[in-house]
Amino acid sequence: MKIDFANLTKAYLEHKDAIDIAMSDVVSSSRFIMGKEVQDLEMQLQQYTGAKHAITCASGTDALILAMMALDIKPGDEIITSPFTFIASAETIAFLGAVPVFVDIDESTYNIDVNRIEEKITEKTKAIMPISLYGQVADMDAVNALAKKYDLAVIEDGAQSFGATYKGKQSCNLSTIGCTSFFPAKPLGCFGDGGAVFTNDEALSDKIKSIRVHGQTERYIHKYIGIGGRLDTLQAAILIEKLKYYDNDVARRQKVAKKYNEHLINHTTIPFVEEYNTSVWAQYSIRIKDRNGVQLKLKEKGIPTAVHYPKPLHLQECFEYLEYKQGDFPVSENVSNEIMSLPMNPYLSDQEIQYITKELKELL
Ligand SMILES: *Cc1c(COP(=O)(O)O)cnc(C)c1O
């Protein structure tokens, strides 16, 4: 048997006709930049999340940059985040000259340990950036309470969690600003790069919209330093189609995760989801002691696996100047050594899940 990790081909083929029509409509209209699909998608994203404003953009990375630029994050400002994430979370902070201040993760959810945030807050702290890792939101009530106490902004890096819920509320609409990504392999992916920023604050929304187009407020009139960060009309048209059945995709991912859990519960550390959360299962990640060996043997059996993420950010060469060292964030370091993601997509059959888990259990 040969298993597909994210099965993006099937994601297209299942809805080929509708997606093809949507794409060809854009191409024949030649409204490639800011065509009406972009606005339509933004309205639908607002409806989906309940956020007053959804601003699409060129990637999840740009979403984070737009959020921080709109909040006026300046060189030397500190932003508290976790070192166990994709590089973009902390990289965008550093890109703006601000300082990522890391806080270790919770051992069970792999999200920021909210009990360790307060001790890192200083005069220079401007924001907290919790990451909703693997499709599950961090404890936002706790984060928001701290933000309120110290007058900080909260930016949710929801790149992996669009569609997830926290206490019945939608990810990306839980704080000052929410950011997501439509990178193809994310739960809601387009056919290239894409992202969105969410807020309930009209002034922030206006500023983000302006910064997205070189800081302009009207044509060739530039109020802010900005970026060229728009979402392509083509990607918007694709996302409008995919959003129609996204809830069904999420339900199928949840079913796959449940099946994995049933097979693996007595054999390894299965993912933990808080009872007040629903996950969109961007990844299904388990803990494996001899990870390299297991990955190699599974590969021989046609089962692809991945590691999200093998090296925590405080130990990355690009952040050497922050002067963190091995041992600073032991939970992140341990988890980085053991974490392994199994194939996850809405199309995995019971038979495939049976095969994957049977081969895996033989190696444990
Ligand atoms: C994917 C991802 C990003 C960046 O999104 P892109 O669309 O690839 O730029 C940021 N943060 C996290 C946690 C991600 O997983």
Side-chain angles (χ1 to χ4, degrees):
M1 215 182 284
K2 185 116 185 60
I3 309 286
D4 197 304
F5 193 86
N7 215 344
L8 300 182
T9 309
K10 182 120 185 204
Y12 168 56
L13 292 179
E14 248 201 8
H15 302 276
K16 183 177 185 306
D17 292 349
I19 291 175
D20 285 353
I21 290 170
M23 288 197 292
S24 89
D25 278 355
V26 174
V27 175
S28 34
S29 78
S30 67
R31 298 177 314 251
F32 300 113
I33 301 294
M34 296 307 255
K36 82 166 181 24
E37 287 81 357
V38 174
Q39 250 191 357
D40 291 349
L41 174 65
E42 288 177 344
M43 296 237 300
Q44 291 175 22
L45 293 173
Q46 284 161 205
Q47 265 164 12
Y48 192 95
T49 56
K52 282 206 190 99
H53 308 279
I55 306 101
T56 56
C57 60
S59 68
T61 305
D62 275 3
L64 294 168
I65 288 175
L66 287 167
M68 287 185 277
M69 287 178 83
L71 289 167
D72 248 339
I73 298 302
K74 294 269 188 301
D77 290 347
E78 294 178 357
I79 298 188
I80 294 175
T81 190
S82 128
F84 187 66
T85 173
F86 181 60
I87 183 73
S89 315
E91 175 194 38
T92 50
I93 297 170
F95 180 78
L96 293 172
V99 183
V101 174
F102 294 123
V103 167
D104 212 348
I105 53 169
D106 175 88
E107 170 102 49
S108 53
T109 62
Y110 310 130
N111 282 327
I112 195 164
D113 183 345
V114 293
N115 298 312
R116 291 165 185 258
I117 293 175
E118 192 162 18
E119 64 200 57
K120 295 292 179 74
I121 295 174
T122 72
E123 299 272 274
K124 292 181 180 166
T125 309
K126 289 288 153 59
I128 307 171
M129 182 196 290
I131 295 120
S132 306
L133 206 71
Y134 302 152
Q136 167 175 222
V137 175
D139 186 354
M140 295 301 276
D141 281 353
V143 174
N144 285 331
L146 281 170
K148 192 162 176 214
K149 183 170 168 191
Y150 293 95
D151 194 22
L152 308 173
V154 177
I155 303 161
E156 183 199 356
D157 180 348
Q160 304 186 5
S161 64
F162 182 81
T165 59
Y166 170 82
K167 300 184 181 175
K169 289 176 286 189
Q170 288 286 326
S171 169
C172 299
N173 185 25
L174 299 167
S175 61
T176 323
I177 300 185
C179 296
T180 200
S181 163
F182 302 124
F183 182 81
K186 309 283 178 179
L188 179 62
C190 58
F191 291 1
D193 280 306
V197 189
F198 301 83
T199 183
N200 289 308
D201 181 318
E202 185 162 4
L204 274 179
S205 167
D206 288 346
K207 196 166 169 190
I208 291 164
K209 279 184 188 156
S210 167
I211 294 171
R212 173 177 65 177
V213 192
H214 306 288
Q216 75 174 25
T217 43
E218 38 187 310
R219 193 160 199 171
Y220 303 131
I221 303 298
H222 303 272
K223 179 169 177 178
Y224 311 105
I225 299 292
I227 63 174
R230 294 162 297 217
L231 180 73
D232 294 341
T233 312
L234 256 176
Q235 303 300 349
I238 291 160
L239 286 164
I240 287 171
E241 282 310 311
K242 294 192 75 172
L243 199 55
K244 289 178 186 164
Y245 49 83
Y246 182 57
D247 283 341
N248 187 38
D249 277 359
V250 170
R252 287 158 90 180
R253 298 177 90 92
Q254 288 168 342
K255 235 174 101 185
V256 169
K258 191 159 167 261
K259 283 258 154 60
Y260 270 143
N261 283 345
E262 285 164 14
H263 285 290
L264 296 174
I265 186 156
N266 295 319
H267 302 268
T268 181
T269 320
I270 60 167
F272 172 78
V273 178
E274 299 278 7
E275 38 129 346
Y276 50 74
N277 275 339
T278 61
S279 176
V280 291
W281 299 100
Q283 304 298 341
Y284 183 95
S285 305
I286 55 175
R287 307 272 289 272
I288 304 283
K289 291 266 187 262
D290 169 31
R291 184 174 64 200
N292 282 354
V294 169
Q295 283 197 284
L296 218 67
K297 290 196 184 98
L298 287 176
K299 194 174 169 200
E300 285 164 11
K301 302 280 184 185
I303 302 167
T305 56
V307 177
H308 309 94
Y309 297 90
K311 191 174 197 167
L313 302 191
H314 66 288
L315 302 177
Q316 297 284 351
E317 189 174 346
C318 64
F319 287 133
E320 257 172 21
Y321 70 97
L322 296 173
E323 297 186 341
Y324 286 107
K325 57 186 188 313
Q326 185 87 35
D328 282 347
F329 305 106
V331 184
S332 297
E333 291 166 23
N334 281 341
V335 175
S336 293
N337 287 329
E338 297 179 358
I339 202 82
M340 185 184 89
S341 304
L342 294 177
M344 170 49 82
N345 62 69
Y347 317 107
L348 283 170
S349 67
D350 289 358
Q351 204 191 358
E352 286 176 313
I353 295 167
Q354 180 104 35
Y355 174 70
I356 294 165
T357 52
K358 180 178 148 290
E359 294 298 334
L360 175 63
K361 281 189 271 191
E362 279 174 21
L363 301 170
L364 299 176

